[in-house]
Amino acid sequence: MNTQALGVEYYLAGMRAALDDLPPAEVAEIMEDVSAHVAELSTELGENETLEQRLGPPEQYAQELRQAAGYPPRTERLPVTTKKGLLTRPRIAAWGLAAATGVTLLAGAVVLREPAILLLPAVILVLSLALVNDRGAAQAEIMDLPETRRIQQWLTPEAGTPAERAITYLKTLQPAWWLVRAGLLGLGAVLLAGRDILGFLCIAAVAVVSVFAGPRAKVDRRWLWFSLPASALAVGLLFQVVDVTASNLAYNNRSYQQGPVMETYQNIYAYDENGKLLTNVLLYDQDGNPINAPRGYYGCGGGDPEPMIPANRYPRPKIDYENGVCYTVAPSMSAPSSTSSTPSEPPSSSGSAPSSSVAPTSVSPSK
């Protein structure tokens, strides 16, 4: 086992393998006592110093502990004929951590809309951590699982390769990530402050505790059940904030690019080239559809369900409800000028009778 490359977890796994001839309860007791010491010692190593250089090979260190505790020399264990159970407590706890982290990532993407969704990963985390909380700070049983070993091997490539340099560089950014994570969680709490006070308090508490959880997870593996889901929640919140921001920017851009608002008309007046107001003009568009102003004109008494004139005939009459008579009244503005001739001034609206140039379109007294 290349403990120099695989670090503290593999060193502890090597020690456990060297003690596996002892009763499981005694092995657990020895490993619980030594795991925290080895993890703490690893933080004091120099840049190029390894645990093997400080403590010796794991087998040798395990032998020293065996002798100090008064246990006999190692004997080979008999082959185990029974198959080990698939669903052990460490495996359930490990997969619970993985499931809770994935669910928290998805929940973080919608937590601003529904904060109560965080209850689901929280329940999974509490149940999985309860299975191994009494196994000690190093969580050696979980670190010794085959799937955990494969992940560790994948995260520990050969020295000198680009992958190894990239992972080493990312590890140096861990303290910065802890601060960024707390900042993202704090932003999520602020966005929830005005809408859901309970969600605000929960995410704010996670933001505060996450600052301390990162460094402690390197020594006490039980903190991983908080640190990993907190990171997943921060990433999910980042996705949601980016999505909301992009949607708002796209909406604003569409608003700015909208064309001018078309003005609607209640009446249309048509003049010929001499400035004479034309009556009974029917208007159609290029497809032969009537061009209708939005307001409908009905009988003077208001009780006639049918329009008094076709909806696309202009000018529409001005209804004088006082006299019960409908008049087509010219606008008060002057007629447009013409280059070919001098237009005559269109008659202006008078009180109760139409001018000579503007004949009434209909008379429908309702009295």
Side-chain angles (χ1 to χ4, degrees), residues 268 283-286 289-293 311-314 316:
I268 299 175
L283 298 182
Y284 298 89
D285 63 12
Q286 70 281 356
N289 299 316
I291 300 177
N292 302 324
N312 66 324
R313 178 177 293 177
Y314 301 96
R316 289 181 170 178

Side-chain angles (χ1 to χ4, degrees), residues 101 105 177-178 181 185 226-236:
T101 302
L105 177 62
W177 165 244
W178 297 332
R181 178 177 64 188
L185 293 172
F226 181 89
S227 183
L228 287 181
S231 296
L233 178 59
V235 173

Side-chain angles (χ1 to χ4, degrees), residues 2 10 44 53 90 98 108 117 120 152 215 237 255 278 282 314 355:
N2 187 1
Y10 273 13
E44 302 174 358
Q53 294 173 345
I117 198 173
L120 177 60
Q152 290 172 341
L237 280 169
S255 299
L278 302 180
L282 299 178
Y314 301 96
S355 63

Side-chain angles (χ1 to χ4, degrees), residues 8 44 65 79 84 89 99 103-104 139 153 167 198 203 217 221 248 251 285 289 292 325 334 350 355:
V8 177
E44 302 174 358
L65 293 176
K84 189 175 180 180
R89 287 181 61 178
V103 172
T104 306
Q139 299 295 327
Q153 291 175 354
I167 292 178
L198 184 59
I203 297 183
R221 291 296 181 181
N248 290 338
Y251 175 80
D285 63 12
N289 299 316
N292 302 324
V325 179
S334 301
S350 60
S355 63

Side-chain angles (χ1 to χ4, degrees), residues 187-197 199-201:
L187 175 61
V190 170
L191 294 176
L192 279 176
R195 298 185 290 110
D196 192 305
I197 187 63
F200 161 74
L201 293 176

Side-chain angles (χ1 to χ4, degrees), residues 117-137:
I117 198 173
L118 291 180
L119 290 176
L120 177 60
V123 171
I124 299 175
L125 287 172
V126 171
L127 294 177
S128 61
L129 181 58
L131 295 175
V132 292
N133 187 51
D134 59 344
R135 293 301 201 262

